[in-house]
Amino acid sequence: MRMRRIRNNPITRKMVEEVSLKPSDFIYPLFLVEGEGIKKEIPSLPGVYHFSIDMLEEEIREIESLGISGVILFGIPDHKDHVGSGAYAEDGIIQKGVRKIKSLKPNLLVVTDVCMCEYTDHGHCGILDENGLVINDETTQYIAKIALSHAKAGADIVAPSDMMDFRVREIRKTLDENGFENIPIMAYSAKFASSYYGPFRDAADSAPSFGDRKSYQMDFHNGEEALEEVALDLDEDADFIIVKPALAYLDVVKAIKENFNTRLVVYNVSGEYSMIKNAIKEGLVDESIIYESLIAMKRAGAQIIISYHAKEMAKKLKEGLR
Ligand code: PBG
Ligand code: ZN
């Protein structure tokens, strides 16, 4: 068969498209800060802002009207300490943010990132021993406590991003014991130790003060190991699986898609976003590169995309771009 006979005609070309994008494929990350009257662009993430809670209303209305499924929340607290107590405080930044968003738009999905690195003074994703190594099992107790406090505030889905062993099991148990058996867990199962998180760590003030995250995040030399991580998390009853970053890890997405029946999410992270935005700004590439990149994630097998491009892409899709 000659493919050209199909490709010649824009109508047949469209008719045979294998994947497409729609606004509801997206979850949009939001960064919340303490204080009042703050809507401040994040230098490392052009077009993305820090919001104080009183300034969220317009943003939330826009996200909902664009047809985006929901938001994933990150908090930048005023106070940090050794155990990250701000992460589970009833009046913590995320807990206040969830209550506010739910009061504005009850039908917009609110996902919370469950981790300690924004809240610990050392910037690591867990409780540390005297040698500076994360103590896995003590950390998962804290992680479960954080997830519970998010659920109590009204979160629809909790998303643990710490990569400790058995945290999904610990969270599930805690949620169930407290009457939240209907709150799903979206697990960052294949989260790689990556340089692509650079702009985020500036935005969330969460860079480790010493060392790196290689003792708990995945080694990017390994793809098959991701299947093991996914199998473990599904066994612990994870409802969604996240692969992160997205673009350089689409082989991992595809492998998971082929090996498991689950709801597969990719996190199109800060470094991927900022590289593209800067290249567009410099005139090096056309902005249609955004659509092409997001389509590649769908083609690899992602069902849901967490992306800083969500709003601009949803606008374009509404205008009929393809
Ligand atoms: C925190 C967390 C990180 C990201 C999401 N949750 C950073 C990290 O692990 O260092 C990265 C998101 C992005 O780069 O957009 N555990
Ligand atoms: Zn973390």
PDB file of all heavy atoms in Angstrom, residues 245-281:
ATOM      1  N   PRO A 245      10.721  11.971  34.510  1.00  0.00           N
ATOM      2  CA  PRO A 245      10.173  12.862  33.488  1.00  0.00           C
ATOM      3  C   PRO A 245       9.491  12.102  32.349  1.00  0.00           C
ATOM      4  O   PRO A 245       9.448  10.870  32.368  1.00  0.00           O
ATOM      5  CB  PRO A 245      11.411  13.590  32.953  1.00  0.00           C
ATOM      6  CG  PRO A 245      12.460  13.431  33.995  1.00  0.00           C
ATOM      7  CD  PRO A 245      12.180  12.111  34.631  1.00  0.00           C
ATOM      8  N   ALA A 246       9.014  12.845  31.345  1.00  0.00           N
ATOM      9  CA  ALA A 246       8.269  12.219  30.257  1.00  0.00           C
ATOM     10  C   ALA A 246       9.118  11.991  29.008  1.00  0.00           C
ATOM     11  O   ALA A 246       9.374  10.849  28.622  1.00  0.00           O
ATOM     12  CB  ALA A 246       7.045  13.073  29.903  1.00  0.00           C
ATOM     13  N   LEU A 247       9.569  13.072  28.386  1.00  0.00           N
ATOM     14  CA  LEU A 247      10.111  12.963  27.024  1.00  0.00           C
ATOM     15  C   LEU A 247      11.293  12.019  26.866  1.00  0.00           C
ATOM     16  O   LEU A 247      11.346  11.244  25.919  1.00  0.00           O
ATOM     17  CB  LEU A 247      10.502  14.353  26.503  1.00  0.00           C
ATOM     18  CG  LEU A 247       9.352  15.152  25.900  1.00  0.00           C
ATOM     19  CD1 LEU A 247       9.852  16.526  25.449  1.00  0.00           C
ATOM     20  CD2 LEU A 247       8.707  14.409  24.723  1.00  0.00           C
ATOM     21  N   ALA A 248      12.229  12.055  27.801  1.00  0.00           N
ATOM     22  CA  ALA A 248      13.408  11.191  27.668  1.00  0.00           C
ATOM     23  C   ALA A 248      13.120   9.777  28.168  1.00  0.00           C
ATOM     24  O   ALA A 248      13.999   8.918  28.143  1.00  0.00           O
ATOM     25  CB  ALA A 248      14.595  11.793  28.423  1.00  0.00           C
ATOM     26  N   TYR A 249      11.886   9.534  28.609  1.00  0.00           N
ATOM     27  CA  TYR A 249      11.541   8.244  29.241  1.00  0.00           C
ATOM     28  C   TYR A 249      10.337   7.573  28.581  1.00  0.00           C
ATOM     29  O   TYR A 249       9.660   6.763  29.197  1.00  0.00           O
ATOM     30  CB  TYR A 249      11.302   8.471  30.747  1.00  0.00           C
ATOM     31  CG  TYR A 249      12.573   8.927  31.427  1.00  0.00           C
ATOM     32  CD1 TYR A 249      12.926  10.280  31.439  1.00  0.00           C
ATOM     33  CD2 TYR A 249      13.470   8.011  31.956  1.00  0.00           C
ATOM     34  CE1 TYR A 249      14.128  10.709  32.000  1.00  0.00           C
ATOM     35  CE2 TYR A 249      14.672   8.424  32.516  1.00  0.00           C
ATOM     36  CZ  TYR A 249      14.995   9.768  32.539  1.00  0.00           C
ATOM     37  OH  TYR A 249      16.178  10.174  33.094  1.00  0.00           O
ATOM     38  N   LEU A 250      10.098   7.899  27.309  1.00  0.00           N
ATOM     39  CA  LEU A 250       8.913   7.351  26.647  1.00  0.00           C
ATOM     40  C   LEU A 250       9.051   5.855  26.380  1.00  0.00           C
ATOM     41  O   LEU A 250       8.055   5.149  26.235  1.00  0.00           O
ATOM     42  CB  LEU A 250       8.606   8.121  25.353  1.00  0.00           C
ATOM     43  CG  LEU A 250       8.175   9.584  25.573  1.00  0.00           C
ATOM     44  CD1 LEU A 250       7.804  10.237  24.249  1.00  0.00           C
ATOM     45  CD2 LEU A 250       7.023   9.706  26.556  1.00  0.00           C
ATOM     46  N   ASP A 251      10.295   5.355  26.353  1.00  0.00           N
ATOM     47  CA  ASP A 251      10.488   3.895  26.254  1.00  0.00           C
ATOM     48  C   ASP A 251       9.917   3.206  27.494  1.00  0.00           C
ATOM     49  O   ASP A 251       9.311   2.131  27.418  1.00  0.00           O
ATOM     50  CB  ASP A 251      11.980   3.556  26.093  1.00  0.00           C
ATOM     51  CG  ASP A 251      12.824   4.086  27.241  1.00  0.00           C
ATOM     52  OD1 ASP A 251      12.546   5.212  27.721  1.00  0.00           O
ATOM     53  OD2 ASP A 251      13.758   3.389  27.678  1.00  0.00           O
ATOM     54  N   VAL A 252      10.086   3.860  28.637  1.00  0.00           N
ATOM     55  CA  VAL A 252       9.573   3.308  29.896  1.00  0.00           C
ATOM     56  C   VAL A 252       8.039   3.330  29.884  1.00  0.00           C
ATOM     57  O   VAL A 252       7.376   2.365  30.282  1.00  0.00           O
ATOM     58  CB  VAL A 252      10.127   4.116  31.100  1.00  0.00           C
ATOM     59  CG1 VAL A 252       9.492   3.656  32.398  1.00  0.00           C
ATOM     60  CG2 VAL A 252      11.642   3.991  31.159  1.00  0.00           C
ATOM     61  N   VAL A 253       7.480   4.428  29.388  1.00  0.00           N
ATOM     62  CA  VAL A 253       6.017   4.546  29.288  1.00  0.00           C
ATOM     63  C   VAL A 253       5.472   3.407  28.435  1.00  0.00           C
ATOM     64  O   VAL A 253       4.541   2.696  28.825  1.00  0.00           O
ATOM     65  CB  VAL A 253       5.614   5.911  28.670  1.00  0.00           C
ATOM     66  CG1 VAL A 253       4.107   5.977  28.438  1.00  0.00           C
ATOM     67  CG2 VAL A 253       6.072   7.060  29.557  1.00  0.00           C
ATOM     68  N   LYS A 254       6.086   3.227  27.301  1.00  0.00           N
ATOM     69  CA  LYS A 254       5.630   2.188  26.366  1.00  0.00           C
ATOM     70  C   LYS A 254       5.733   0.783  26.993  1.00  0.00           C
ATOM     71  O   LYS A 254       4.821  -0.032  26.862  1.00  0.00           O
ATOM     72  CB  LYS A 254       6.488   2.265  25.096  1.00  0.00           C
ATOM     73  CG  LYS A 254       6.165   1.241  24.061  1.00  0.00           C
ATOM     74  CD  LYS A 254       5.580   1.885  22.843  1.00  0.00           C
ATOM     75  CE  LYS A 254       5.176   0.829  21.824  1.00  0.00           C
ATOM     76  NZ  LYS A 254       4.173   1.336  20.914  1.00  0.00           N
ATOM     77  N   ALA A 255       6.833   0.547  27.679  1.00  0.00           N
ATOM     78  CA  ALA A 255       7.009  -0.770  28.297  1.00  0.00           C
ATOM     79  C   ALA A 255       5.944  -1.011  29.373  1.00  0.00           C
ATOM     80  O   ALA A 255       5.410  -2.120  29.496  1.00  0.00           O
ATOM     81  CB  ALA A 255       8.409  -0.888  28.891  1.00  0.00           C
ATOM     82  N   ILE A 256       5.634  -0.008  30.137  1.00  0.00           N
ATOM     83  CA  ILE A 256       4.604  -0.164  31.177  1.00  0.00           C
ATOM     84  C   ILE A 256       3.255  -0.416  30.523  1.00  0.00           C
ATOM     85  O   ILE A 256       2.499  -1.304  30.920  1.00  0.00           O
ATOM     86  CB  ILE A 256       4.550   1.084  32.095  1.00  0.00           C
ATOM     87  CG1 ILE A 256       5.863   1.229  32.862  1.00  0.00           C
ATOM     88  CG2 ILE A 256       3.360   0.992  33.053  1.00  0.00           C
ATOM     89  CD1 ILE A 256       5.987   2.527  33.647  1.00  0.00           C
ATOM     90  N   LYS A 257       2.977   0.361  29.487  1.00  0.00           N
ATOM     91  CA  LYS A 257       1.715   0.205  28.746  1.00  0.00           C
ATOM     92  C   LYS A 257       1.558  -1.234  28.247  1.00  0.00           C
ATOM     93  O   LYS A 257       0.474  -1.816  28.296  1.00  0.00           O
ATOM     94  CB  LYS A 257       1.727   1.200  27.580  1.00  0.00           C
ATOM     95  CG  LYS A 257       0.584   1.082  26.628  1.00  0.00           C
ATOM     96  CD  LYS A 257      -0.644   1.721  27.219  1.00  0.00           C
ATOM     97  CE  LYS A 257      -1.830   1.569  26.271  1.00  0.00           C
ATOM     98  NZ  LYS A 257      -3.071   1.916  26.924  1.00  0.00           N
ATOM     99  N   GLU A 258       2.647  -1.792  27.753  1.00  0.00           N
ATOM    100  CA  GLU A 258       2.582  -3.144  27.183  1.00  0.00           C
ATOM    101  C   GLU A 258       2.498  -4.243  28.238  1.00  0.00           C
ATOM    102  O   GLU A 258       2.067  -5.349  27.946  1.00  0.00           O
ATOM    103  CB  GLU A 258       3.802  -3.382  26.272  1.00  0.00           C
ATOM    104  CG  GLU A 258       3.647  -2.672  24.938  1.00  0.00           C
ATOM    105  CD  GLU A 258       4.928  -2.639  24.106  1.00  0.00           C
ATOM    106  OE1 GLU A 258       5.991  -3.055  24.618  1.00  0.00           O
ATOM    107  OE2 GLU A 258       4.850  -2.181  22.962  1.00  0.00           O
ATOM    108  N   ASN A 259       2.931  -3.924  29.455  1.00  0.00           N
ATOM    109  CA  ASN A 259       2.999  -4.966  30.477  1.00  0.00           C
ATOM    110  C   ASN A 259       1.923  -4.918  31.544  1.00  0.00           C
ATOM    111  O   ASN A 259       1.758  -5.884  32.295  1.00  0.00           O
ATOM    112  CB  ASN A 259       4.369  -4.927  31.154  1.00  0.00           C
ATOM    113  CG  ASN A 259       5.439  -5.561  30.282  1.00  0.00           C
ATOM    114  OD1 ASN A 259       5.526  -6.781  30.199  1.00  0.00           O
ATOM    115  ND2 ASN A 259       6.206  -4.742  29.588  1.00  0.00           N
ATOM    116  N   PHE A 260       1.231  -3.762  31.656  1.00  0.00           N
ATOM    117  CA  PHE A 260       0.233  -3.637  32.726  1.00  0.00           C
ATOM    118  C   PHE A 260      -1.043  -2.998  32.210  1.00  0.00           C
ATOM    119  O   PHE A 260      -1.007  -2.167  31.311  1.00  0.00           O
ATOM    120  CB  PHE A 260       0.765  -2.754  33.858  1.00  0.00           C
ATOM    121  CG  PHE A 260       1.999  -3.277  34.517  1.00  0.00           C
ATOM    122  CD1 PHE A 260       3.245  -2.842  34.104  1.00  0.00           C
ATOM    123  CD2 PHE A 260       1.915  -4.212  35.537  1.00  0.00           C
ATOM    124  CE1 PHE A 260       4.401  -3.322  34.703  1.00  0.00           C
ATOM    125  CE2 PHE A 260       3.064  -4.705  36.143  1.00  0.00           C
ATOM    126  CZ  PHE A 260       4.307  -4.258  35.718  1.00  0.00           C
ATOM    127  N   ASN A 261      -2.141  -3.380  32.836  1.00  0.00           N
ATOM    128  CA  ASN A 261      -3.383  -2.663  32.605  1.00  0.00           C
ATOM    129  C   ASN A 261      -3.585  -1.711  33.763  1.00  0.00           C
ATOM    130  O   ASN A 261      -4.003  -2.098  34.837  1.00  0.00           O
ATOM    131  CB  ASN A 261      -4.560  -3.637  32.568  1.00  0.00           C
ATOM    132  CG  ASN A 261      -4.815  -4.103  31.167  1.00  0.00           C
ATOM    133  OD1 ASN A 261      -4.685  -3.326  30.218  1.00  0.00           O
ATOM    134  ND2 ASN A 261      -5.187  -5.360  31.018  1.00  0.00           N
ATOM    135  N   THR A 262      -3.245  -0.448  33.541  1.00  0.00           N
ATOM    136  CA  THR A 262      -3.441   0.519  34.622  1.00  0.00           C
ATOM    137  C   THR A 262      -3.664   1.885  34.007  1.00  0.00           C
ATOM    138  O   THR A 262      -3.659   2.030  32.781  1.00  0.00           O
ATOM    139  CB  THR A 262      -2.227   0.537  35.580  1.00  0.00           C
ATOM    140  OG1 THR A 262      -2.500   1.455  36.646  1.00  0.00           O
ATOM    141  CG2 THR A 262      -0.949   0.953  34.866  1.00  0.00           C
ATOM    142  N   ARG A 263      -3.896   2.872  34.830  1.00  0.00           N
ATOM    143  CA  ARG A 263      -4.048   4.230  34.345  1.00  0.00           C
ATOM    144  C   ARG A 263      -2.684   4.900  34.390  1.00  0.00           C
ATOM    145  O   ARG A 263      -2.116   5.093  35.455  1.00  0.00           O
ATOM    146  CB  ARG A 263      -5.085   4.996  35.174  1.00  0.00           C
ATOM    147  CG  ARG A 263      -6.506   4.566  34.828  1.00  0.00           C
ATOM    148  CD  ARG A 263      -7.370   4.375  36.026  1.00  0.00           C
ATOM    149  NE  ARG A 263      -6.830   3.375  36.925  1.00  0.00           N
ATOM    150  CZ  ARG A 263      -7.027   2.055  36.812  1.00  0.00           C
ATOM    151  NH1 ARG A 263      -7.772   1.581  35.848  1.00  0.00           N
ATOM    152  NH2 ARG A 263      -6.478   1.201  37.677  1.00  0.00           N
ATOM    153  N   LEU A 264      -2.212   5.232  33.194  1.00  0.00           N
ATOM    154  CA  LEU A 264      -0.823   5.653  33.061  1.00  0.00           C
ATOM    155  C   LEU A 264      -0.728   7.172  32.865  1.00  0.00           C
ATOM    156  O   LEU A 264      -1.344   7.731  31.964  1.00  0.00           O
ATOM    157  CB  LEU A 264      -0.205   4.889  31.884  1.00  0.00           C
ATOM    158  CG  LEU A 264       1.278   4.924  31.667  1.00  0.00           C
ATOM    159  CD1 LEU A 264       2.057   4.681  32.949  1.00  0.00           C
ATOM    160  CD2 LEU A 264       1.672   3.876  30.627  1.00  0.00           C
ATOM    161  N   VAL A 265       0.066   7.790  33.724  1.00  0.00           N
ATOM    162  CA  VAL A 265       0.225   9.244  33.735  1.00  0.00           C
ATOM    163  C   VAL A 265       1.684   9.565  33.439  1.00  0.00           C
ATOM    164  O   VAL A 265       2.574   8.859  33.912  1.00  0.00           O
ATOM    165  CB  VAL A 265      -0.117   9.797  35.149  1.00  0.00           C
ATOM    166  CG1 VAL A 265      -0.073  11.323  35.165  1.00  0.00           C
ATOM    167  CG2 VAL A 265      -1.464   9.271  35.638  1.00  0.00           C
ATOM    168  N   VAL A 266       1.939  10.623  32.658  1.00  0.00           N
ATOM    169  CA  VAL A 266       3.321  11.105  32.551  1.00  0.00           C
ATOM    170  C   VAL A 266       3.406  12.498  33.143  1.00  0.00           C
ATOM    171  O   VAL A 266       2.466  13.283  33.064  1.00  0.00           O
ATOM    172  CB  VAL A 266       3.866  11.172  31.097  1.00  0.00           C
ATOM    173  CG1 VAL A 266       4.147   9.785  30.576  1.00  0.00           C
ATOM    174  CG2 VAL A 266       2.960  11.949  30.173  1.00  0.00           C
ATOM    175  N   TYR A 267       4.534  12.779  33.751  1.00  0.00           N
ATOM    176  CA  TYR A 267       4.797  14.129  34.247  1.00  0.00           C
ATOM    177  C   TYR A 267       5.814  14.772  33.316  1.00  0.00           C
ATOM    178  O   TYR A 267       6.979  14.411  33.291  1.00  0.00           O
ATOM    179  CB  TYR A 267       5.325  14.083  35.687  1.00  0.00           C
ATOM    180  CG  TYR A 267       5.248  15.413  36.410  1.00  0.00           C
ATOM    181  CD1 TYR A 267       4.837  15.483  37.742  1.00  0.00           C
ATOM    182  CD2 TYR A 267       5.575  16.608  35.776  1.00  0.00           C
ATOM    183  CE1 TYR A 267       4.766  16.700  38.413  1.00  0.00           C
ATOM    184  CE2 TYR A 267       5.495  17.824  36.429  1.00  0.00           C
ATOM    185  CZ  TYR A 267       5.098  17.868  37.744  1.00  0.00           C
ATOM    186  OH  TYR A 267       5.032  19.074  38.407  1.00  0.00           O
ATOM    187  N   ASN A 268       5.309  15.720  32.515  1.00  0.00           N
ATOM    188  CA  ASN A 268       6.124  16.505  31.586  1.00  0.00           C
ATOM    189  C   ASN A 268       6.758  17.633  32.426  1.00  0.00           C
ATOM    190  O   ASN A 268       6.156  18.660  32.645  1.00  0.00           O
ATOM    191  CB  ASN A 268       5.157  17.041  30.506  1.00  0.00           C
ATOM    192  CG  ASN A 268       5.739  18.023  29.521  1.00  0.00           C
ATOM    193  OD1 ASN A 268       5.048  18.946  29.088  1.00  0.00           O
ATOM    194  ND2 ASN A 268       6.980  17.852  29.145  1.00  0.00           N
ATOM    195  N   VAL A 269       7.966  17.373  32.909  1.00  0.00           N
ATOM    196  CA  VAL A 269       8.504  18.173  34.026  1.00  0.00           C
ATOM    197  C   VAL A 269       9.063  19.543  33.627  1.00  0.00           C
ATOM    198  O   VAL A 269       9.167  19.879  32.445  1.00  0.00           O
ATOM    199  CB  VAL A 269       9.583  17.389  34.810  1.00  0.00           C
ATOM    200  CG1 VAL A 269       9.001  16.106  35.380  1.00  0.00           C
ATOM    201  CG2 VAL A 269      10.806  17.109  33.930  1.00  0.00           C
ATOM    202  N   SER A 270       9.473  20.259  34.659  1.00  0.00           N
ATOM    203  CA  SER A 270       9.894  21.656  34.517  1.00  0.00           C
ATOM    204  C   SER A 270      11.023  21.865  33.499  1.00  0.00           C
ATOM    205  O   SER A 270      10.983  22.803  32.715  1.00  0.00           O
ATOM    206  CB  SER A 270      10.308  22.198  35.881  1.00  0.00           C
ATOM    207  OG  SER A 270      11.361  21.419  36.428  1.00  0.00           O
ATOM    208  N   GLY A 271      12.018  20.992  33.501  1.00  0.00           N
ATOM    209  CA  GLY A 271      13.143  21.168  32.581  1.00  0.00           C
ATOM    210  C   GLY A 271      12.723  20.982  31.132  1.00  0.00           C
ATOM    211  O   GLY A 271      13.190  21.696  30.237  1.00  0.00           O
ATOM    212  N   GLU A 272      11.813  20.037  30.904  1.00  0.00           N
ATOM    213  CA  GLU A 272      11.306  19.820  29.547  1.00  0.00           C
ATOM    214  C   GLU A 272      10.549  21.058  29.072  1.00  0.00           C
ATOM    215  O   GLU A 272      10.683  21.513  27.940  1.00  0.00           O
ATOM    216  CB  GLU A 272      10.365  18.613  29.527  1.00  0.00           C
ATOM    217  CG  GLU A 272      10.980  17.324  30.039  1.00  0.00           C
ATOM    218  CD  GLU A 272       9.938  16.212  30.119  1.00  0.00           C
ATOM    219  OE1 GLU A 272       9.558  15.697  29.074  1.00  0.00           O
ATOM    220  OE2 GLU A 272       9.493  15.879  31.230  1.00  0.00           O
ATOM    221  N   TYR A 273       9.742  21.598  29.972  1.00  0.00           N
ATOM    222  CA  TYR A 273       8.939  22.779  29.661  1.00  0.00           C
ATOM    223  C   TYR A 273       9.832  23.989  29.384  1.00  0.00           C
ATOM    224  O   TYR A 273       9.698  24.652  28.365  1.00  0.00           O
ATOM    225  CB  TYR A 273       8.001  23.060  30.836  1.00  0.00           C
ATOM    226  CG  TYR A 273       7.251  24.371  30.751  1.00  0.00           C
ATOM    227  CD1 TYR A 273       6.078  24.474  29.995  1.00  0.00           C
ATOM    228  CD2 TYR A 273       7.699  25.507  31.439  1.00  0.00           C
ATOM    229  CE1 TYR A 273       5.385  25.675  29.932  1.00  0.00           C
ATOM    230  CE2 TYR A 273       7.005  26.706  31.376  1.00  0.00           C
ATOM    231  CZ  TYR A 273       5.850  26.789  30.624  1.00  0.00           C
ATOM    232  OH  TYR A 273       5.165  27.980  30.565  1.00  0.00           O
ATOM    233  N   SER A 274      10.756  24.249  30.290  1.00  0.00           N
ATOM    234  CA  SER A 274      11.563  25.469  30.151  1.00  0.00           C
ATOM    235  C   SER A 274      12.486  25.419  28.943  1.00  0.00           C
ATOM    236  O   SER A 274      12.710  26.438  28.296  1.00  0.00           O
ATOM    237  CB  SER A 274      12.374  25.715  31.425  1.00  0.00           C
ATOM    238  OG  SER A 274      11.493  26.023  32.478  1.00  0.00           O
ATOM    239  N   MET A 275      13.003  24.242  28.622  1.00  0.00           N
ATOM    240  CA  MET A 275      13.848  24.131  27.427  1.00  0.00           C
ATOM    241  C   MET A 275      13.051  24.506  26.183  1.00  0.00           C
ATOM    242  O   MET A 275      13.515  25.261  25.334  1.00  0.00           O
ATOM    243  CB  MET A 275      14.374  22.702  27.263  1.00  0.00           C
ATOM    244  CG  MET A 275      15.513  22.385  28.207  1.00  0.00           C
ATOM    245  SD  MET A 275      16.436  20.927  27.698  1.00  0.00           S
ATOM    246  CE  MET A 275      15.194  19.691  27.628  1.00  0.00           C
ATOM    247  N   ILE A 276      11.834  23.969  26.104  1.00  0.00           N
ATOM    248  CA  ILE A 276      11.003  24.240  24.936  1.00  0.00           C
ATOM    249  C   ILE A 276      10.597  25.715  24.885  1.00  0.00           C
ATOM    250  O   ILE A 276      10.702  26.371  23.850  1.00  0.00           O
ATOM    251  CB  ILE A 276       9.760  23.308  24.926  1.00  0.00           C
ATOM    252  CG1 ILE A 276      10.186  21.920  24.437  1.00  0.00           C
ATOM    253  CG2 ILE A 276       8.647  23.881  24.059  1.00  0.00           C
ATOM    254  CD1 ILE A 276       9.047  20.928  24.281  1.00  0.00           C
ATOM    255  N   LYS A 277      10.183  26.255  26.022  1.00  0.00           N
ATOM    256  CA  LYS A 277       9.750  27.660  26.039  1.00  0.00           C
ATOM    257  C   LYS A 277      10.899  28.582  25.640  1.00  0.00           C
ATOM    258  O   LYS A 277      10.700  29.542  24.897  1.00  0.00           O
ATOM    259  CB  LYS A 277       9.233  28.054  27.427  1.00  0.00           C
ATOM    260  CG  LYS A 277       7.937  27.393  27.828  1.00  0.00           C
ATOM    261  CD  LYS A 277       6.815  27.640  26.849  1.00  0.00           C
ATOM    262  CE  LYS A 277       6.029  28.897  27.140  1.00  0.00           C
ATOM    263  NZ  LYS A 277       4.826  28.991  26.267  1.00  0.00           N
ATOM    264  N   ASN A 278      12.082  28.281  26.132  1.00  0.00           N
ATOM    265  CA  ASN A 278      13.219  29.131  25.791  1.00  0.00           C
ATOM    266  C   ASN A 278      13.623  28.996  24.331  1.00  0.00           C
ATOM    267  O   ASN A 278      13.960  29.978  23.687  1.00  0.00           O
ATOM    268  CB  ASN A 278      14.394  28.851  26.717  1.00  0.00           C
ATOM    269  CG  ASN A 278      14.234  29.577  28.038  1.00  0.00           C
ATOM    270  OD1 ASN A 278      14.036  30.789  28.059  1.00  0.00           O
ATOM    271  ND2 ASN A 278      14.268  28.861  29.130  1.00  0.00           N
ATOM    272  N   ALA A 279      13.549  27.783  23.815  1.00  0.00           N
ATOM    273  CA  ALA A 279      13.898  27.576  22.404  1.00  0.00           C
ATOM    274  C   ALA A 279      12.900  28.293  21.490  1.00  0.00           C
ATOM    275  O   ALA A 279      13.272  28.858  20.464  1.00  0.00           O
ATOM    276  CB  ALA A 279      13.955  26.085  22.081  1.00  0.00           C
ATOM    277  N   ILE A 280      11.635  28.301  21.880  1.00  0.00           N
ATOM    278  CA  ILE A 280      10.623  29.028  21.096  1.00  0.00           C
ATOM    279  C   ILE A 280      10.923  30.528  21.155  1.00  0.00           C
ATOM    280  O   ILE A 280      10.931  31.222  20.138  1.00  0.00           O
ATOM    281  CB  ILE A 280       9.195  28.740  21.620  1.00  0.00           C
ATOM    282  CG1 ILE A 280       8.814  27.279  21.377  1.00  0.00           C
ATOM    283  CG2 ILE A 280       8.181  29.682  20.958  1.00  0.00           C
ATOM    284  CD1 ILE A 280       7.530  26.843  22.076  1.00  0.00           C
ATOM    285  N   LYS A 281      11.202  31.000  22.356  1.00  0.00           N
ATOM    286  CA  LYS A 281      11.489  32.423  22.555  1.00  0.00           C
ATOM    287  C   LYS A 281      12.692  32.869  21.731  1.00  0.00           C
ATOM    288  O   LYS A 281      12.702  33.955  21.154  1.00  0.00           O
ATOM    289  CB  LYS A 281      11.740  32.685  24.045  1.00  0.00           C
ATOM    290  CG  LYS A 281      11.666  34.139  24.426  1.00  0.00           C
ATOM    291  CD  LYS A 281      11.699  34.313  25.941  1.00  0.00           C
ATOM    292  CE  LYS A 281      12.691  35.388  26.308  1.00  0.00           C
ATOM    293  NZ  LYS A 281      13.584  34.999  27.387  1.00  0.00           N
TER     294      LYS A 281
END
